[in-house]
Amino acid sequence: MAEKRRGSPCSMLSLKAHAFSVEALIGAEKQQQLQKKRRKLGAEEAAGAVDDGGCSRGGGVGEKGPSEGDEGTALPLPAGAASGPARSGADLERGAAGSCEDGFQQGASPLASPGGSPKGSPAPSLARPGTPLPSPQAPRVDLQGAELWKRFHEIGTEMIITKAGRRMFPAMRVKITGLDPHQQYYIAMDIVPVDNKRYRYVYHSSKWMVAGNADSPVPPRVYIHPDSPASGETWMRQVISFDKLKLTNNELDDQGHIILHSMHKYQPRVHVIRKDCGDDLSPIKPVPSGEGVKAFSFPETVFTTVTAYQNQQITRLKIDRNPFAKGFRDSGRNRMGLEALVESYAFWRPSLRTLTFEDIPGIPKQGNASSSTLLQGTGNGVPATHPHLLSGSSCSSPAFHLGPNTSQLCSLAPADYSACARSGLTLNRYSTSLAETYNRLTNQAGETFAPPRTPSYVGVSSSTSVNMSMGGTDGDTFSCPQTSLSMQISGMSPQLQYIMPSPSSNAFATNQTHQGSYNTFRLHSPCALYGYNFSTSPKLAASPEKIVSSQGSFLGSSPSGTMTDRQMLPPVEGVHLLSSGGQQSFFDSRTLGSLTLSSSQVSAHMV
Amino acid sequence: QMAFESHPHLRGSSVSSSLPSIPGGKPAYSFHVSADGQMQPVPFPSDALVGAGIPRHARQLHTLAHGEVVCAVTISGSTQHVYTGGKGCVKVWDVGQPGAKTPVAQLDCLNRDNYIRSCKLLPDGRSLIVGGEASTLSIWDLAAPTPRIKAELTSSAPACYALAVSPDAKVCFSCCSDGNIVVWDLQNQTMVRQFQGHTDGASCIDISDYGTRLWTGGLDNTVRCWDLREGRQLQQHDFSSQIFSLGHCPNQDWLAVGMESSNVEILHVRKPEKYQLHLHESCVLSLKFASCGRWFVSTGKDNLLNAWRTPYGASIFQSKESSSVLSCDISRNNKYIVTGSGDKKATVYEVVY
C-alpha cells in the first residue's frame, strides 16, 4: 500500500473519504505517530491556504477534484438544523497521504488512506503560505499588546485593586494557536503570587522594596473566559481577551473576582483546558492540573497590586494609554481627582452621539471585536473623549449633570440605531434624588466620586457593540428588544437619570449582582472619566421622569444595565454614587463593577 | 458561543443553547421531527429509563491495551472473546475471566501501516471476516488450533470501511471506499453483485432483521436502502452531513444513523418521521443496537459512549472515555459493551440492569 500512497492520483477518493480516515476520526492531536509526512505535505499545503470558516462548516470539506495539488477549497455545507458544532474530520486531518495539513495540526497521516494518496487536501484552515508548518501538537499562546506590557514592565507594572473589583490595564489579551480545531476547550486565567513577599514603594528612591513576608494566602480564584467552552477553531480565530476580569482585595468577595493582597507581586497565567479535563474547573478552586491542562504565563505581565498608584510614571503611562483615562490627558497635565472632573464637565456639550472606535484615532482596540464578545458587553472599551455633553457652562460642582436645556431625544429604531450609533451620544441620567446626594457629597473636600461603573465595557465602538443582544443568539446580535436609544437629558440640573437595567437572563460579564443583561452603551465623557451604559429602550423617550421615579436610587455605576423598558425598571439596589473612599484613587472611567457601589464609592479611579 | 454568565456552567455534552429546553434535566436533546419538518422536544414516557431490559448504567470491566487505535471491535457470542482491530492486525482477547489482559492470538491481516476498519464474526462464531485499508477481505478460521486465514476476497476498491454478514452466513457485504457495496458469496468466495449508488465512500452498513434489506450510509451524505433479492436501491435519505455509522433496530422499524455533524437520527423505515438526538459534540463514529432492540449505543469523537432508548433517544447513561471512540459492539446477550478507542485500547463494559 505504501507505494499507492505516494503521489498517485486519487481518482476514487474524495476529500470526504479522507474525512473518514482513522486520523480524522481520532482527532488530530492524537496523531503523534503519524506525522512522517507532515513537513513534506506542509509545503504543498501551504499553497492551499483556505478560509478557515469555510473549512469548518459542518458537513465537512467540499468536494475537491482528485487531482494533485488541489487547493483546499472548503465548500461550506449547510449544517443541520440543530446540529452541534461538528466539524468534518477532513478539516483537521488529512487522512490520506498527500493531503496537507492544517496549519495547526496534526499529522497528515500518510496512510490511512484507503489505499490512495490523493493530493486534494482538505482545506487547511490555517496554512500559512510559504512557511513551514508549525508543530501542531502543542497549544501556543501569544500575548497581544506585548509592547505595552513591556513598557509597563520596565517601570514596574502596578494594578489597582479595590473592594468592588477593578479591571486590569493593560488587560490580558492573547492569541492561541496549536489547538485541535474540533476539540472543545476552556480558557481560563488565574493570578498567582510571584513570591512570598510584601512590598512597599519608596518614593524618594522610586523603588519597590520588600517590606516583609506575604500575607496569608488568598482564596483561589479562576476567571473562566466567558466564551468557554468552545472549539479550538473558535478560540484560534479571535483574540481572546480577559478585559472583564476584575481584581479585588476583598477576601470575602462573592462576585467571583480574583482576590489578591495589596502590595504583593503577581503573575497572571492563561490556562488552556481540554474540555474533558475541565470537570474540576471552577471559579473558586485552583485550576486543575493534568495532561489536558496547559498553563502559559508571560514574564512581562508581572505586576504589583496597589490600592493607589505609587509610581507616577505608571500613572502617567496609564493615563496615556488607557482610553478610559483619556480625560486626564488634558494638555499634558496630570490632574487627578475632583479637579479633573470639574474640568471635564466643563467641556460637555449637548449632543447625542455615540462614541465609536472610529472616533478615537489610534486607540488600539482592547478585546475582541467579535460579536460574541461584544454581546457580552465586551471589552472594546473605548470611549472617546468627544462627546461633550455639557454645554459650555462650567459647572463648579462635579455633578454629572448636563447643561441646561440640553434635552434631546434620540429615538432610534433598531435599524436606525446602527446608523446612529456612530454619531450619537448616549447619555445617562441620574435620578434626581441621587443627584442631590451626589452634589452634596461631592462638595465635600477630598471626595472624589465614583465613576459609574458597569461591568460591561462596552466600547461604543460600533453599532454592534451597542446592541447587546439579549436573546443571545446570533440572529439577535443586532437587534434587541429595546434598541432605540432615547435618552432625555432633562434641563434640570443636575438631572441625570440613570436607567436601571432590567433583569433578564443574560447577565453581562462580571457583574454578578445584576440579574439582568444590559444593553449598554457607554457614554464617555470628554475626559472619559466614566462611562455610562444606558439602555436602548424605545420607550425611554417618553417619560424620563417616570423612569426616575421608578428607581430607588441613583446608580452611579455605569450601565451594567440596560435601560430597558421603563416599566420594567427594577429598583436599583443601593447604588451610591458617592462614598467616602479613603483612597486616593483616580477616576476610573471604566465600568467596573457592581451597581451596588457601597460605601466606598466616591472615588475617581483611574486605572 | 455567547455566554450568559460570566462563569458558564461546566456542562457535560450539551445541546446548543439555542435549542428549547424542558425543565428539570438536561436541556432538550431529543426532538421528534414530523413529516412536515416540525421539530418538537420529546416528552419521554415514564418507562423511558426503567423497565425490563433497560440498563441502568455500565461499568468498565477490562481495558485491552491493543497498542494501536482500535477502529474495529467485536465480541463473540459466547462473550468469551473480544476481537480488536488496529493497525495491520486483529488481536484476540480472552475476557471470560478477570485479570490483566494480553492477547491470546494475533491475526495479521494487512500491511502493518494499514488500519483494520471492520471485523465481523460469522453467526457460528467460528470464522472472522476482516476488512480495512486494503483491497482484500480476509476470512479467518478461528476453530483451528491457531487461527489461520481461510480465504481472501479481493475487490477493486482500495479499502473496505464496513462489513455485514447475512443471518444465514451465506453472504457478506463490504462497504467500499469507492462507494460500492460488494456482495460476497462466502461459500464460493466469489462476488455476487455490487450495489452502486453511493457517490462517495460507503461508511456503514446493517442488515434489516429479516435479512431482506440492506441499509448503508455514505460519505455522500446519504442513507440508502437496498433490496437484497432484487438487487436495487429502494430508498434514499439525504442529509446535510456525512454518515459515519448506522444500525437497524433488530425488531422495530427504526434505523439509527450517526452523523459527522454529531447528530444521531432515528429514522422510521417506512414513515417520514424521525427523532433527532443531540448528546454528542462531535462526529458519531459508531453505533449498535442491543439485540432486544430497546436500546442502543453510540460513540463519538467527543470521547463519549452514549446509551439511548429506542426510538426517542432518552439518555440511559453516558460514559466519557479518554479519546475518540471509534467502534463499538454489544454482546448478543446484551450484557457487555465493547468500545475501541483512539487511545489505542479497547474497553469492555458490563451493563448493569
Side-chain angles (χ1 to χ4, degrees):
Chain A
M1 286 306 153
E3 62 282 4
K4 271 199 191 178
R5 284 202 301 273
R6 303 222 186 258
S8 60
C10 166
S11 52
M12 294 183 285
L13 285 178
S14 68
L15 281 177
K16 290 188 174 187
H18 303 165
F20 203 53
S21 69
V22 176
E23 285 65 26
L25 300 185
I26 64 179
E29 68 220 9
K30 300 159 193 172
Q31 295 178 42
Q32 312 267 345
Q33 71 275 18
L34 300 171
Q35 284 161 14
K36 303 172 231 167
K37 297 231 174 156
R38 229 172 51 203
R39 272 189 213 103
K40 175 184 167 151
L41 298 174
E44 291 156 355
E45 168 203 15
V50 172
D51 170 35
D52 174 60
C55 236
S56 57
R57 260 359 105 66
V61 183
E63 297 258 304
K64 285 178 39 157
S67 59
E68 290 196 11
D70 251 8
E71 296 212 337
T73 32
L75 301 177
L77 298 175
S83 65
R87 301 277 179 260
S88 164
D91 289 348
L92 301 185
E93 304 353 276
R94 302 312 153 224
S99 59
C100 52
E101 299 160 20
D102 180 312
F104 298 143
Q105 300 335 113
Q106 314 126 355
S109 143
L111 65 117
S113 101
S117 62
K119 273 315 180 83
S121 52
S125 343
L126 308 154
R128 296 172 196 93
T131 59
L133 289 173
S135 148
Q137 292 91 349
R140 242 189 56 163
V141 177
D142 292 302
L143 181 66
Q144 303 297 286
E147 282 312 304
L148 184 60
W149 278 104
K150 283 195 179 63
R151 287 203 51 187
F152 277 103
H153 189 60
E154 281 156 9
I155 305 170
T157 312
E158 300 175 28
M159 294 289 179
I160 299 258
I161 63 177
T162 65
K163 183 160 182 229
R166 181 63 64 92
R167 295 191 195 183
M168 290 169 56
F169 182 81
M172 283 294 287
R173 296 168 59 237
V174 296
K175 268 189 98 75
I176 304 191
T177 55
L179 297 179
D180 174 357
H182 293 357
Q183 175 73 263
Q184 295 274 309
Y185 298 89
Y186 293 98
I187 307 280
M189 226 181 101
D190 68 357
I191 301 186
V192 293
V194 167
D195 54 28
N196 60 348
K197 298 285 173 239
R198 194 162 41 81
Y199 289 85
R200 65 188 180 96
Y201 186 76
V202 181
Y203 286 101
H204 66 260
S205 56
S206 297
K207 283 213 299 228
W208 285 93
M209 311 269 294
V210 173
N213 287 328
D215 300 340
S216 48
V218 283
R221 286 290 170 90
V222 175
Y223 176 83
I224 303 172
H225 193 282
D227 290 345
S228 305
S231 66
E233 194 236 340
T234 304
W235 289 120
M236 292 190 291
R237 129 173 110 211
Q238 54 177 306
V239 170
I240 297 164
S241 175
F242 294 92
D243 52 278
K244 297 220 266 297
L245 180 160
K246 286 191 183 166
L247 310 179
T248 181
N249 53 6
N250 178 9
E251 293 198 49
L252 302 176
D253 172 87
D254 58 357
Q255 308 293 304
H257 300 325
I258 296 199
I259 303 173
L260 305 176
H261 285 309
S262 181
M263 310 304 264
H264 288 57
K265 266 210 179 122
Y266 291 97
Q267 165 79 75
R269 300 190 303 186
V270 175
H271 300 271
V272 178
I273 300 149
R274 260 202 347 244
K275 186 163 173 167
D276 52 284
C277 306
D279 293 329
D280 278 337
L281 182 62
S282 148
I284 53 173
K285 289 202 304 196
V287 175
S289 52
E291 180 259 329
V293 182
K294 293 188 169 44
F296 301 85
S297 56
F298 306 91
E300 62 271 40
T301 62
V302 165
F303 62 87
T304 307
T305 45
V306 296
T307 52
Y309 290 125
Q310 305 294 299
N311 185 336
Q312 282 213 328
Q313 287 183 278
I314 289 289
T315 311
R316 271 200 289 275
L317 188 57
K318 296 244 181 180
I319 291 175
D320 194 51
R321 296 306 192 94
N322 186 352
F324 290 96
K326 231 174 164 186
F328 293 107
R329 294 177 195 172
D330 186 38
S331 65
R333 275 173 57 199
N334 226 357
R335 285 164 299 140
M336 330 285 194
L338 282 182
E339 191 190 15
L341 291 172
V342 172
E343 226 172 272
S344 69
Y345 297 128
F347 293 127
W348 282 29
R349 276 198 303 272
S351 74
L352 290 178
R353 198 173 141 270
T354 50
L355 295 177
T356 67
F357 268 119
E358 288 77 356
D359 291 333
I360 304 157
I363 298 293
K365 294 184 188 189
Q366 280 191 358
N368 181 346
S370 72
S371 62
S372 63
T373 319
L374 289 175
L375 288 176
Q376 292 164 10
T378 184
N380 294 337
V382 182
T385 53
H386 305 19
H388 297 291
L389 290 181
L390 293 180
S391 63
S393 60
S394 62
C395 18
S396 53
S397 109
F400 291 175
H401 66 269
L402 303 172
N405 303 317
T406 57
S407 313
Q408 295 192 28
L409 287 181
C410 174
S411 309
L412 296 173
D416 295 337
Y417 184 75
S418 41
C420 191
R422 276 188 255 315
S423 57
L425 254 192
T426 49
L427 301 172
N428 290 334
R429 302 177 322 171
Y430 299 95
S431 67
T432 316
S433 57
L434 281 177
E436 287 168 352
T437 310
Y438 186 123
N439 286 342
R440 180 166 41 82
L441 292 174
T442 52
N443 286 333
Q444 295 171 22
E447 296 284 346
T448 50
F449 62 79
R453 300 179 187 183
T454 74
S456 57
Y457 221 129
V458 179
V460 185
S461 58
S462 65
S463 54
T464 63
S465 70
V466 190
N467 300 322
M468 266 45 81
S469 151
M470 308 263 288
T473 61
D474 287 347
D476 289 343
T477 305
F478 295 101
S479 67
C480 28
Q482 313 84 357
T483 48
S484 81
L485 165 60
S486 331
M487 305 297 302
Q488 180 160 20
I489 302 166
S490 93
M492 285 192 294
S493 70
Q495 177 131 17
L496 295 176
Q497 263 184 350
Y498 195 83
I499 299 175
M500 264 317 279
S502 69
S504 88
S505 58
N506 304 0
F508 272 142
T510 55
N511 187 350
Q512 271 100 354
T513 56
H514 303 292
Q515 298 95 13
S517 72
Y518 306 115
N519 285 346
T520 63
F521 309 88
R522 291 186 85 135
L523 166 66
H524 298 293
S525 71
C527 55
L529 291 175
Y530 52 86
Y532 295 89
N533 291 342
F534 33 88
S535 73
T536 53
S537 166
K539 301 175 188 145
L540 287 179
S543 170
E545 286 70 27
K546 272 198 196 142
I547 298 170
V548 180
S549 59
S550 65
Q551 290 170 216
S553 54
F554 167 61
L555 291 187
S557 172
S558 186
S560 19
T562 1
M563 325 286 219
T564 52
D565 262 41
R566 272 171 290 125
Q567 293 82 348
M568 290 166 55
L569 291 175
V572 173
E573 37 224 23
V575 175
H576 308 288
L577 180 63
L578 307 173
S579 73
S580 47
Q583 43 188 353
Q584 169 207 341
S585 22
F586 303 127
F587 200 89
D588 177 20
S589 59
R590 293 194 306 184
T591 59
L592 288 186
S594 56
L595 284 177
T596 50
L597 305 177
S598 48
S599 55
S600 57
Q601 246 143 38
V602 182
S603 10
H605 300 287
M606 183 185 68
V607 174
Chain B
Q1 155 178 347
M2 185 166 114
F4 287 102
E5 326 86 15
S6 58
H7 300 302
H9 311 305
L10 301 177
R11 301 183 282 275
S13 44
S14 62
V15 185
S16 153
S17 57
S18 62
L19 296 176
S21 60
I22 292 182
K26 301 194 232 260
Y29 56 85
S30 160
F31 296 85
H32 179 265
V33 184
S34 60
D36 56 1
Q38 296 258 354
M39 224 168 94
Q40 295 288 331
V42 175
F44 299 139
S46 50
D47 69 341
L49 302 180
V50 299
I54 307 301
R56 284 188 295 116
H57 64 96
R59 63 185 189 92
Q60 293 193 10
L61 269 191
H62 307 294
T63 299
L64 311 176
H66 184 110
E68 287 293 347
V69 175
V70 180
C71 312
V73 74
T74 194
I75 183 166
S76 66
S78 64
T79 72
Q80 182 83 12
H81 291 105
V82 169
Y83 301 80
T84 55
K87 254 192 193 173
C89 70
V90 171
K91 295 189 180 177
V92 187
W93 309 80
D94 184 334
V95 295
Q97 42 237 354
K101 301 291 167 211
T102 52
V104 299
Q106 179 168 319
L107 317 179
D108 293 314
C109 312
L110 307 180
N111 285 351
R112 294 168 109 221
D113 284 337
N114 297 105
Y115 280 104
I116 309 287
R117 296 301 293 258
S118 181
C119 54
K120 286 287 191 287
L121 286 163
L122 292 192
D124 66 2
R126 295 165 59 100
S127 302
L128 182 76
I129 305 184
V130 180
E133 294 170 350
S135 308
T136 356
L137 307 181
S138 45
I139 307 177
W140 290 77
D141 178 1
L142 301 173
T146 49
R148 58 176 190 87
I149 291 191
K150 190 155 75 166
E152 279 186 333
L153 309 173
T154 306
S155 75
S156 55
C160 158
Y161 286 147
L163 290 168
V165 180
S166 65
D168 59 9
K170 292 189 179 166
V171 188
C172 144
F173 305 91
S174 164
C175 288
C176 298
S177 54
D178 59 4
N180 290 338
I181 315 296
V182 180
V183 185
W184 298 95
D185 177 327
L186 288 176
Q187 286 155 337
N188 302 328
Q189 294 161 17
T190 56
M191 183 190 304
V192 173
R193 63 152 50 93
Q194 288 189 76
F195 287 113
Q196 292 176 324
H198 281 293
T199 56
D200 206 323
S203 57
C204 46
I205 183 167
D206 203 359
I207 304 181
S208 75
D209 45 342
Y210 309 113
T212 54
R213 296 223 175 132
L214 201 64
W215 290 87
T216 59
L219 303 180
D220 62 353
N221 300 11
T222 66
V223 166
R224 298 172 195 246
C225 177
W226 313 83
D227 185 299
L228 289 172
R229 284 164 307 188
E230 297 180 34
R232 63 185 184 87
Q233 181 174 321
L234 293 177
Q235 287 183 42
Q236 179 167 328
H237 298 259
D238 293 297
F239 295 87
S240 55
S241 154
Q242 295 182 303
I243 312 302
F244 280 2
S245 52
L246 65 71
H248 191 289
C249 181
N251 48 20
Q252 301 177 49
D253 285 336
W254 298 104
L255 183 80
V257 179
M259 312 187 54
E260 185 268 339
S261 67
S262 83
N263 286 4
V264 174
E265 302 206 359
I266 314 296
L267 313 180
H268 194 285
V269 301
R270 286 176 293 106
K271 296 190 255 173
E273 60 158 320
K274 66 182 183 185
Y275 291 93
Q276 208 179 72
L277 311 178
H278 298 265
L279 278 182
H280 279 290
E281 293 188 353
S282 188
C283 317
V284 182
L285 303 180
S286 69
L287 61 84
K288 181 81 195 245
F289 274 91
S291 61
C292 61
R294 303 180 71 201
W295 56 280
F296 67 99
V297 296
S298 66
T299 73
K301 192 173 161 187
D302 55 0
N303 309 3
L304 273 181
L305 165 69
N306 271 316
W308 315 81
R309 188 76 163 84
T310 310
Y312 40 81
S315 174
I316 301 175
F317 64 79
Q318 294 183 294
S319 172
K320 184 83 166 187
E321 295 200 5
S322 57
S323 181
S324 298
V325 189
L326 285 79
S327 51
C328 66
D329 196 12
I330 303 179
S331 63
R332 211 176 301 148
N333 63 3
N334 302 325
K335 286 183 66 174
Y336 300 98
I337 298 171
V338 188
T339 59
S341 168
D343 260 352
K344 307 184 181 172
K345 64 181 189 206
T347 306
V348 181
Y349 294 82
E350 180 187 25
V351 181
V352 177
Y353 289 91

